[in-house]
Amino acid sequence: MARLAVLGATGRTGQEIVRRALDAGHEVTALVRRPEALPVRDASLTVVVGDARDAEVIAAVSEGRDAVIASLGRPESGRTKDQIDDSQPVDVCEVSTRHLLEAAGRGLRRIVLMSTHGAGSSNDGSPYVVKLRDMVGNRVVDKDRMEQVLLEAETDVVWTVIRNPYIYEGPLGTPHAVHEKIVLDETSRITYADLATFAIGEALRPQYPNTFLTITEPLTGSAS
Ligand SMILES: NC(=O)c1ccc[n+]([C@@H]2O[C@H](COP(=O)([O-])OP(=O)(O)OC[C@H]3O[C@@H](n4cnc5c(N)ncnc54)[C@H](OP(=O)(O)O)[C@@H]3O)[C@@H](O)[C@H]2O)c1
């Protein structure tokens, strides 16, 4: 049994991580802004309400945890895609990562962070990445900065950054692979179930320490 904290626990991936971690017998602390949006109740679940950009909140949810999994994304709580103003700056991933590294100095040993394929060194100029970066705007810039914070950090914490392709509803165990370098196309994807299971695995026993990776099912399009 491990003690895990999940940031972004009301998100689609975050909920999947929370459910799967509880099912596997782990103790979970879930950081949320909207507790009503997390429809999970369990004796091993503690829900903390707060903003991931708040250093005291991150210190509190990290304390005594074996690992933190951050699945932070869209900045505007409870809004649909059409209601989000993509021109606003986004900094939740960058700022929360800085706070997690401070928490690492106080004992946290492992962090697993969700990013986007197309951020950081995966910004490879491919048609997929150019289109993606245009589509998600400031949200991928926040992931760039998050990744840069890790590259510049002097820390003993073991981190894994998962650069996601399109995530979709599908079964656990859909064939997929992990790549440190890959050119994606629009057929790249991963199921929420496989992504959440992989993230929990990295939090428990990192197979890819201090690595930026992309997880995807086999490509079937032009770049395969
Ligand atoms: N979905 C995809 O196809 C896709 C593709 C590529 C990369 N990604 C990345 O993969 C990860 C998971 O994606 P997803 O679609 O599951 O995410 P999501 O559903 O958009 O969830 C994002 C989560 O972040 C939380 N959040 C945002 N700002 C916060 C703040 N300041 N304080 C606390 N919580 C905050 C949201 O809380 P609220 O519920 O309160 O808003 C929500 O729980 C994200 O990093 C995303 O950028 C996703």
Side-chain angles (χ1 to χ4, degrees), residues 50-199:
D51 193 300
R53 291 170 301 175
D54 184 328
E56 287 181 16
V57 167
I58 295 298
V61 296
S62 307
E63 193 177 351
R65 301 292 99 185
D66 298 306
V68 174
I69 305 174
S71 184
L72 295 160
R74 289 199 185 112
E76 297 184 51
S77 194
R79 301 206 177 201
T80 65
K81 202 174 166 189
D82 294 343
Q83 293 169 324
I84 294 175
D85 178 0
D86 272 328
S87 67
Q88 295 299 311
V90 181
D91 64 0
V92 63
C93 294
E94 177 193 0
V95 172
S96 61
T97 299
R98 289 190 194 281
H99 297 329
L100 284 170
L101 291 172
E102 288 157 18
R106 294 189 294 272
L108 177 67
R109 297 200 314 273
R110 294 190 293 280
I111 56 177
V112 178
L113 306 174
M114 295 289 170
S115 186
T116 300
H117 185 89
S121 61
S122 64
N123 181 4
D124 56 12
S126 64
Y128 170 89
V129 165
V130 170
K131 187 171 173 188
L132 177 281
R133 291 189 66 96
D134 185 50
M135 202 167 64
V136 300
N138 289 328
R139 281 182 274 148
V140 72
V141 174
D142 184 30
K143 304 287 204 260
D144 292 335
R145 292 186 178 137
M146 173 185 85
E147 295 196 6
Q148 193 60 34
V149 166
L150 285 173
L151 284 173
E152 292 170 1
E154 290 179 17
T155 178
D156 291 333
V157 74
V158 174
W159 52 266
T160 307
V161 171
I162 307 173
R163 291 168 169 162
N164 292 318
Y166 171 64
I167 317 168
Y168 76 104
E169 300 286 348
L172 180 68
T174 307
H176 60 272
V178 169
H179 306 264
E180 290 184 35
K181 195 166 168 53
I182 184 172
V183 178
L184 294 189
D185 64 30
E186 286 175 9
T187 67
S188 56
R189 60 183 195 164
I190 187 77
T191 69
Y192 287 105
D194 285 320
L195 175 59
T197 301
F198 179 80

